[in-house]
Amino acid sequence: MQSSNSHPIRVCHVCSGHTSDDSRVFHKECRSLALAGYEVHLIATSKSPSIHKSGDVTIHPVPPCKSRLERISRRWKIADIAAMVSADLYHVHEPELLGPLLNRVGKKPVIYDVHESYFDLLGHRSWIPVLVRPLIQTVWQRLEAKWVKKCQAIIAVAEPIAEPYMKLHERVEIIRNFPDLSQDEFNSGNDHVREPACVMAGSLNGDRNLANMVLAIGILRRRNTYISLWLAGQWESPQYEGIIQKLAVDEEVSDRVRYFGILPHKDAVALESRASIGMATVLPTGNFLKTLLIKLFECMALGLPVVYSNFPLFQRYLREYGVGVAVDPEKPEEIADALEYLMKNPQIALQMGRMGRRATMEKYNWAHEGNKLLALYSEILDPRS
């Protein structure tokens, strides 16, 4: 993408907690913009000590945060790094960076990319005392409303996330976090024999409902139905990891609950492709009721049948294709029943997997969403377009 003086238009994506190889930020948004001709810079966490290129994207690394306090305290430092990039447009991905970034970059256009319902997250964070959560939510809501009005546009990952911002801003675009089917890992064939395992790769925290998954595996053990649970990703805390490990021991399924560590995105997708069933049985917290899980659609793209929470938003997208089994995520018996049904009916499971693959090929893929991102950038940077 060239500017009027024939130099590439420089854009900068700004993160504090996301990694430099993040699925949405780097692999989808930044790479799509680079392919379109923009000069793309990304500020994100990385173990690399210096500025470097990853493909056509310039990475400005910041060290991973050791605590929540550190992430909050360094927001002005990251805003200063962003200002030094001197971009023509800034795209911010984390809420605590929005105010500092707007302050530092002056009149440069800023896009706010809302990945989650932060208002709802603040009402459920275990590290925030229960009595002060409503106050913190109110303060955040007022600050965010003030900052949002200074942005050029708002991006949201799903309709319910977008709705509050439509009352605050005239330019809200829904750009869903669907799989990028151009990546090799989604095109290696999907009808091969899979291992008897269900898989959940991603953030491993209480909202992901790991306890009820383990209980479901225990129920199936007592029914003499064999299936493993594969987990990969960052644990919420060592304490939570210990709770899940102890539960697996108590259920006598520690040999069936396997943890594969923190994997790069490509390796996480490869792990998913070896399993028989994708798991998306998250709990009905305010945030999960309003957003879509990328891992759910990744499993569909790989041809896996999925067991997913029976939320209205999930069913709005999945019901027409018949890609799996919807369950009450708070009932481990229902999760176990769904897993047993799919394990004992392999042809039905295979057909559900094929329908999931078809759904992502036809509708739920990044090609459609990426085009909306490019159109938004073009509209902001060249209104004549």
Side-chain angles (χ1 to χ4, degrees):
M1 177 63 66
Q2 302 294 317
S3 64
S4 58
N5 59 2
S6 299
H7 293 294
I9 295 175
R10 179 179 296 178
V11 300
C12 182
H13 284 243
V14 189
C15 305
S16 178
H18 289 82
T19 62
S20 60
D21 67 343
D22 181 80
S23 171
R24 176 179 176 87
V25 179
F26 173 75
H27 286 283
K28 294 171 188 169
E29 293 181 328
C30 287
R31 291 181 64 190
S32 294
L33 291 163
L35 285 170
Y38 291 95
E39 179 188 326
V40 183
H41 294 251
L42 169 61
I43 301 168
T45 63
S46 171
K47 294 181 180 179
S48 174
S50 59
I51 298 173
H52 62 280
K53 283 272 193 178
S54 181
D56 292 329
V57 179
T58 301
I59 306 296
H60 300 256
V62 294
C65 292
K66 297 178 182 178
S67 67
R68 299 181 186 93
L69 179 61
E70 180 184 357
R71 178 167 157 177
I72 295 297
S73 64
R74 75 178 187 182
R75 63 194 187 279
W76 288 99
K77 178 181 178 181
I78 289 177
D80 288 337
I81 296 171
M84 287 189 289
V85 172
S86 190
D88 298 296
L89 179 149
Y90 290 91
H91 190 141
V92 61
H93 291 272
E94 278 147 342
E96 75 272 10
L97 298 178
L98 184 57
L101 185 73
L102 287 164
N103 177 277
R104 291 293 192 258
V105 303
K107 296 183 179 180
K108 296 288 184 70
V110 173
I111 295 174
Y112 180 31
D113 201 325
V114 187
H115 296 208
E116 301 176 292
S117 174
Y118 301 119
F119 179 84
D120 289 303
L121 285 175
L122 290 171
H124 290 89
R125 289 303 194 202
S126 60
W127 49 271
I128 301 176
V130 174
L131 293 179
V132 301
R133 289 178 194 173
L135 174 61
I136 291 176
Q137 285 179 304
T138 299
V139 171
W140 166 249
Q141 198 170 38
R142 291 177 179 174
L143 284 173
E144 187 186 44
K146 179 180 73 173
W147 293 331
V148 159
K149 293 173 184 177
K150 298 179 180 180
C151 294
Q152 197 72 23
I154 311 299
I155 290 174
V157 296
E159 294 87 341
I161 300 289
E163 287 171 3
Y165 297 96
M166 291 177 177
K167 301 173 184 177
L168 301 172
H169 204 286
E170 63 181 10
R171 191 66 178 93
V172 179
E173 185 70 64
I174 299 170
I175 299 180
R176 301 164 188 85
N177 199 20
F178 290 150
D180 181 358
L181 300 186
S182 69
Q183 295 178 346
D184 291 340
E185 51 263 41
F186 292 111
N187 297 286
S188 58
N190 298 295
D191 288 344
H192 53 275
V193 175
R194 303 179 187 273
E195 298 185 44
C198 56
V199 61
M200 217 302 295
S203 300
L204 303 181
N205 54 45
D207 291 345
R208 300 280 174 163
N209 202 18
L210 304 186
N212 282 332
M213 293 185 198
V214 173
L215 290 172
I217 299 299
I219 291 169
L220 293 177
R221 180 193 64 80
R222 292 187 288 276
R223 295 180 186 175
N224 296 316
T225 297
Y226 183 87
I227 185 171
S228 294
L229 171 62
W230 292 353
L231 303 173
Q234 176 72 56
W235 288 98
E236 175 184 332
S237 66
Q239 292 78 13
Y240 182 65
E241 181 180 6
I243 289 170
I244 297 303
Q245 289 177 342
K246 182 179 183 303
L247 183 60
V249 171
D250 292 343
E251 290 291 310
E252 300 180 24
V253 293
S254 55
D255 60 326
R256 303 185 188 190
V257 178
R258 296 183 60 188
Y259 175 57
F260 289 81
I262 303 172
L263 301 177
H265 179 257
K266 184 175 182 179
D267 293 340
V269 173
L271 178 69
E272 290 167 338
S273 71
R274 289 167 41 204
S276 297
I277 302 167
M279 297 298 291
T281 52
V282 292
L283 290 172
T285 62
N287 185 59
F288 279 134
L289 288 170
K290 295 181 178 180
T291 191
L292 298 166
L293 291 177
I294 175 57
K295 291 300 177 182
L296 170 58
F297 291 92
E298 282 186 355
C299 288
M300 289 164 52
L302 293 167
L304 274 68
V306 289
V307 177
Y308 60 95
S309 300
N310 58 358
F311 303 158
L313 182 63
F314 286 11
Q315 298 200 66
R316 184 193 311 176
Y317 279 82
L318 305 183
R319 186 186 294 115
E320 71 171 290
Y321 283 95
V323 302
V325 183
V327 299
D328 182 338
E330 297 181 289
K331 295 181 179 179
E333 295 84 1
E334 283 197 23
I335 299 174
D337 290 343
L339 291 171
E340 186 172 36
Y341 174 75
L342 293 173
M343 292 300 295
K344 292 187 174 180
N345 294 276
Q347 290 304 313
I348 293 176
L350 180 62
Q351 179 61 20
M352 287 179 171
R354 288 173 174 165
M355 291 302 293
R357 174 70 176 175
R358 175 183 165 189
T360 57
M361 293 288 288
E362 291 181 353
K363 293 173 66 172
Y364 306 142
N365 60 71
W366 178 250
H368 293 162
E369 305 304 304
N371 285 337
K372 291 191 287 185
L373 177 70
L374 297 177
L376 177 63
Y377 268 59
S378 181
E379 178 184 320
I380 293 172
L381 292 166
D382 183 8
R384 295 171 302 173
S385 65

